[in-house]
Amino acid sequence: MIKLLHVEDDADIREIALMALELSGEFDVVQCETGEAALNQVQTYTPDVILLDMMMPGMTGRQTLEKMREMDSLRDVPAIFMTARAQHNEIEELRELGAADVISKPFDPISLADQVKTAMQAG
Amino acid sequence: MSSHFANKRTAGSFFLSSALAAGWYTASSALLSGQAGETIPVVGAIVLAGLAPFIIPMARPTVQTEDAQLGMAQRLKAFDSHAIVNIVDTKGLLTEVNDRFTALTGYTRDQLIGQPVSMLYDDDFKELAAEIRAGLKRGDTWQGETPLRCADGRMICTQITVMPMYDTAGKWTGSITARTDVTRAHELLAERDTAETLYELRDDIWIVDAETNRLTYMNRSAMRRTGLSDKAYSAKTLDELAQEADCAPILDACKTLAETDKAMTQFDAEMFGKHFQVTIKMLKIGHAPGRFLIMLHDITDIINEERTKSEFISMVSHELRSPLTSIKGSMGLLLSRAAGDLPPKARALLEISHRNADRLVLIINDILDLEKIANGRLEFDMEKTNISELLHETGSANASLEQRFGVRIQIENADAPIWLTTDPNRIIQVLTNLLSNAAKFSKPGDRIVLRAEDSADELRVSVTDKGLGIPVSEQHKVFQRFADLSNSNRSSKGGTGLGLSVCKAIVESLGGKIGFDSREGFGTTFYFTLPKKTSQMGSKETAPLLREAS
């Protein structure tokens, strides 16, 4: 099973993503509502892949990833951003930050699991 | 033009003024040539308003003293030197002009004498001329301003007094006109008005001597912004001012302008804590360096408004996408049977909802694209692209259209590589839009042809369908946003009403053109061209400002 940490402030989107990923039967998903909560979570949980919302109250997805990259255990873990504001330059910046992929919202729940696996292989 | 007719003269003055006027020109000429003594009794006076009080009382047909005759001669000499005089006969033909007239207008006497006086006027003035002439016939004097055409075609403005002339029997013989050239006075007034307007203008105006780089003029707004008074700015050079105040972009632009042959430059700059549109015009004086006329138009409010609008649209789009993610995601999962099988009717209804959620996403994307284009923020990722390959890729990516609408997408003339430096993703966006439109308006079983035509200067890509075609009466609306075409039935076909506007903006941003040929009932070909020179664009380019897209 692939251990996936999903950070997303919107509860409905969390639920849909959880359902979509569980459908594939290949993911063990842990979800957090904020970047701060995610940073607490990774103290005791090391995921194989991180799925991060960009726009969140408090720490943004980018800030959260920057903090995670400071941790030895998470330095090389593939991170995938989900964003509703997929500006071309922002996507480029996120890739430079080490994002394995950037998924635009609304995303297709049916292909989400495949997208994550593809990004993990590429990363 | 101010003018008026004087009251009719009294019986007593009738004879006097007729006799005086009739002999005036000959008399004054004689006086000027030193024959004053013999001619004074018949000297007439046609007068400018200011000279009348002097001349008329002295011109009574009584015995004149020598002093009085001399005085009259001197006054007439002064008058003749000052005024521009012409005489016309009853037919309106010029019979006499003085030296001032020929000197000012550039005509010779031969060119004037015997010619209709109307040759000196514009057509616009001819109606008034007829009115003046009718007044003169009745014995009225007319005063006012009239234009006068000079020999070189230039029009001058003259203040005139025109009086009727009579012979000794009291018969009307024509008229005499005395003029003063007031063109310069008008110009000075206009210059004064211009200077006052410049001074009061809300934009900042600077004038800088291009040779010394010294400021020679600042209007009130400019002085206020720089904190310089009249005297203070004239002691400054632009270099000194750039060191003290926040105006380095102006200095740089003036230097660049001085080094080139360009007459004008315009740019936006941040100075003095605000955004300005700066216009610098080089006013050359012959071959001398001349002056820089610098205009600063404050666009801070416009920029802020655009930024606020842009942020608002961006934010709204984001806020719409989040709930749409949940709506579309839930429906997608239901349709995938993640929650089990659905009754057929429920599934059909869910498919309608899902399709329309997709449409809403497309509308949001198009609105965002148009907004970015309008603000010059649409980014282009230029790269060397094999267009043939791109057409095949786009065809495959749109294979779902074949299933949904029962059409067949055929790619022609795209076997050999066609290389062009462009943004492949934006081209795919345009082609997808055109293919989607073609499919929607085709009948099941129809063929849609995607075709490339390569030439030395440009590439032409077309999408042809055999569908309904666009009525001629509605073709002008095709690229308008939310154009309400009668046969488009946008809602049932899933269009956004923005797609072609976006295509047009993208193609034009890439330096190309987009168009279509359509015959109702026979189908439509949409095409776009891309110049081969687009390759000069950098790897990441921002679209030029497309106001028509805003």
Side-chain angles (χ1 to χ4, degrees), chain B residues 24-213:
Chain B
W24 174 82
Y25 188 74
T26 314
S28 62
S29 301
L31 279 166
L32 295 176
S33 57
Q35 302 165 31
E38 296 82 15
T39 54
I40 282 296
V42 291
V43 166
I46 194 69
V47 288
L48 284 170
L51 283 173
F54 300 105
I55 296 172
I56 291 177
M58 289 166 27
R60 287 182 190 129
T62 53
V63 177
Q64 303 277 322
T65 64
E66 275 193 14
D67 280 350
Q69 288 171 9
L70 186 60
M72 172 62 88
Q74 286 166 348
R75 284 172 185 143
L76 283 171
K77 185 179 177 185
F79 171 58
D80 197 47
S81 304
H82 173 89
I84 305 148
V85 182
N86 67 270
I87 296 175
V88 297
D89 63 16
T90 53
K91 293 174 186 164
L93 302 178
L94 286 156
T95 58
E96 295 283 352
V97 292
N98 71 346
D99 290 342
R100 284 276 294 149
F101 195 106
T102 53
L104 185 81
T105 61
Y107 293 107
T108 63
R109 281 200 166 76
D110 287 345
Q111 287 174 314
L112 293 168
I113 304 304
Q115 298 301 316
V117 70
S118 58
M119 69 178 274
L120 301 169
Y121 304 133
D122 256 353
D123 287 345
D124 293 349
F125 178 67
K126 284 180 180 166
E127 196 177 324
L128 179 60
E131 201 182 312
I132 293 170
R133 193 171 147 74
L136 290 168
K137 258 180 162 176
R138 294 192 304 268
D140 295 340
T141 298
W142 189 86
Q143 287 186 320
E145 276 187 13
T146 66
L148 191 68
R149 182 185 290 114
C150 296
D152 59 7
R154 168 176 59 95
M155 297 300 290
I156 59 170
C157 187
T158 60
Q159 175 77 38
I160 77 166
T161 296
V162 54
M163 283 182 69
M165 298 187 338
Y166 303 91
D167 63 14
T168 50
K171 186 183 167 196
W172 180 52
T173 59
S175 63
I176 183 161
T177 304
R179 304 168 188 270
T180 303
D181 179 9
V182 291
T183 312
R184 184 62 189 143
H186 280 273
E187 285 171 357
L188 286 171
L189 281 173
E191 280 173 18
R192 191 196 65 188
D193 289 348
T194 306
E196 281 177 3
T197 307
L198 277 183
Y199 190 74
E200 298 295 337
L201 214 59
R202 287 174 66 185
D203 290 351
D204 295 14
I205 307 289
W206 307 14
I207 297 177
V208 175
D209 185 309
E211 190 164 20
T212 61
N213 231 9

Side-chain angles (χ1 to χ4, degrees), chain B residues 238-256:
Chain B
L238 199 52
D239 301 69
E240 288 166 348
L241 190 59
Q243 283 175 3
E244 298 165 16
D246 183 17
C247 60
I250 294 179
L251 177 66
D252 296 342
C254 285
K255 282 182 176 169
T256 308

